[in-house]
Amino acid sequence: MRMERSQELFQRAETCIPGGVNSPVRACRSVGAAPLFIERAQGAWLYDADGNALIDYVGSWGPMILGHRHPVVEDAIRRVLERGVSFGAPVDLEVALAEKVISLVPSVEMIRMVNSGTEATMSALRLARGFTGRNVLVKFDGCYHGHGDSFLVDAGSGVATLNIPGSPGVPGEVTRHTLSLPYNDMDAFRELMAARGGEVAAVIVEPVAGNMGFVRPREGFLSLLREETQKHGALLIFDEVMTGFRVALGGVQGLFGIKPDLSTFGKIIGGGLPVGAYGGRRDIMAHVAPMGPVYQAGTLSGNPLAMAAGLATMEEISRPGFYENLEEKTLKLVEGLAAAAKDAHIPVCCDSIGSMFGMFFTKGPVHSFADAKTSDLMRFNAYYAGMREKCIYLAPSQFEAGFVSMAHGSAEIEATIQAARSVMKTL
Ligand SMILES: *Cc1c(COP(=O)(O)O)cnc(C)c1O
């Protein structure tokens, strides 16, 4: 694979952008590779600066569920371009997107648009604290909720580790209020709530985890979170920035029939443009300014270009059969990858829900971040490099999920499985 142009661009980027990238994982450091600079995309394919064509399983880290350059989304964006791209005043598209989300996600009665998933979770946490008058946040190890100070606590395994900022620059005074528990550890959660439930403002969770690799909730885990938060007057926040409109039309909450108090969205809801949103119970959302006292604002929030792309995407994914079709393709891919590994005698642990999938290089089972870390990372890195050489574009980290889009056809899925078959033999 030619990479001269990408390498040249990366060298330039490294002199003027920290690490050469505007978001860390893109730099491909953990896999020891240099990033490919992308020039354009179409459907399931990316075309890089050196003219390589790659089958894309990153999908801009989640948003591109329709594939790249979907004509309906492009038309919607084009119509906005002809009217002006930002007014800082209300537009009809904001109302339409709010109504659409509310119609698809039963727990959401009111919703506020922001510009990223990070902003959505930060705002939802502030709202939960403002509403309950409490400060403590409970999260789970290996879950990612954006880069807000309160969420950057990776407590490692074990119960409720305190006072450990996960990043320099985050005051201990802030993370003191964040308690992080092992994902799927129901006993630890029960014990924590019994001891400190009355101090907890919110419990936030990736209801299907995608940021430690793909990890599904164990039977009863999410309903336990629901019961215990209700019992102690804490709010339950489902961070569906990744899973919303990805695992199913109604998100994880629709799939498992659990109603959180607040939900956060991003990625698909913006159709590839910068959007996030938080919403939920009307009585809680009524506390958001200017309806209530909890302050949150944004110069570009509800931006018409972003609303148009999001709304067009939401309309396309609401078509009958959309998710069945996507899930079928994803299952075929995951079964093919598992079979390729089996034939090469490589222990892997594959799983998917909807069009979100993952594969760990361990025999599993993987229920937590600690389990995920038993994956053979040397083997993952070799797999990543081998697949990229064969023009299969995967996330450059074991601890990320993969995404299939509507634009992936059986030809792309088959080519991916064939590539995996030959790469697995070399691992
Ligand atoms: C991506 C992601 C975020 C952060 O969203 P950004 O738009 O990157 O700020 C938050 N939560 C989850 C679950 C995510 O996957």
Side-chain angles (χ1 to χ4, degrees), residues 116-119 121 144-147 206 211 239 241-242 267 275:
S116 69
T118 292
E119 239 188 288
T121 54
Y144 179 68
H145 304 293
H147 64 84
E206 282 184 69
N211 287 292
D239 181 355
V241 169
M242 183 184 287
K267 300 189 172 130
V275 183

Side-chain angles (χ1 to χ4, degrees), residues 102-118:
I102 288 167
S103 76
L104 295 175
V105 187
S107 76
V108 176
E109 296 168 346
M110 290 186 110
I111 188 164
R112 172 60 70 79
M113 296 294 160
V114 293
N115 302 290
S116 69
T118 292

Side-chain angles (χ1 to χ4, degrees), residues 336-372:
L337 295 176
K342 186 152 187 272
D343 291 350
H345 306 290
I346 309 262
V348 297
C349 187
C350 294
D351 200 2
S352 69
I353 299 182
S355 54
M356 183 174 161
F357 69 95
M359 179 168 68
F360 292 106
F361 286 90
T362 177
K363 66 179 189 339
V366 176
H367 297 304
S368 68
F369 193 31
D371 296 342

Side-chain angles (χ1 to χ4, degrees), residues 320-401:
F322 180 86
Y323 285 88
E324 287 80 352
N325 181 289
L326 208 49
E327 183 167 304
E328 198 176 301
K329 285 194 276 209
T330 310
L331 281 173
K332 203 165 149 225
L333 172 69
V334 170
E335 279 162 16
L337 295 176
K342 186 152 187 272
D343 291 350
H345 306 290
I346 309 262
V348 297
C349 187
C350 294
D351 200 2
S352 69
I353 299 182
S355 54
M356 183 174 161
F357 69 95
M359 179 168 68
F360 292 106
F361 286 90
T362 177
K363 66 179 189 339
V366 176
H367 297 304
S368 68
F369 193 31
D371 296 342
K373 286 194 274 199
T374 66
S375 183
D376 183 339
L377 297 186
M378 298 290 279
R379 202 166 246 173
F380 171 81
N381 291 356
Y383 172 69
Y384 172 83
M387 291 296 271
R388 199 168 90 172
E389 197 54 40
K390 295 199 172 301
C391 291
I392 310 296
Y393 192 79
L394 303 171
S397 165
Q398 173 68 92
F399 305 113
E400 297 287 350

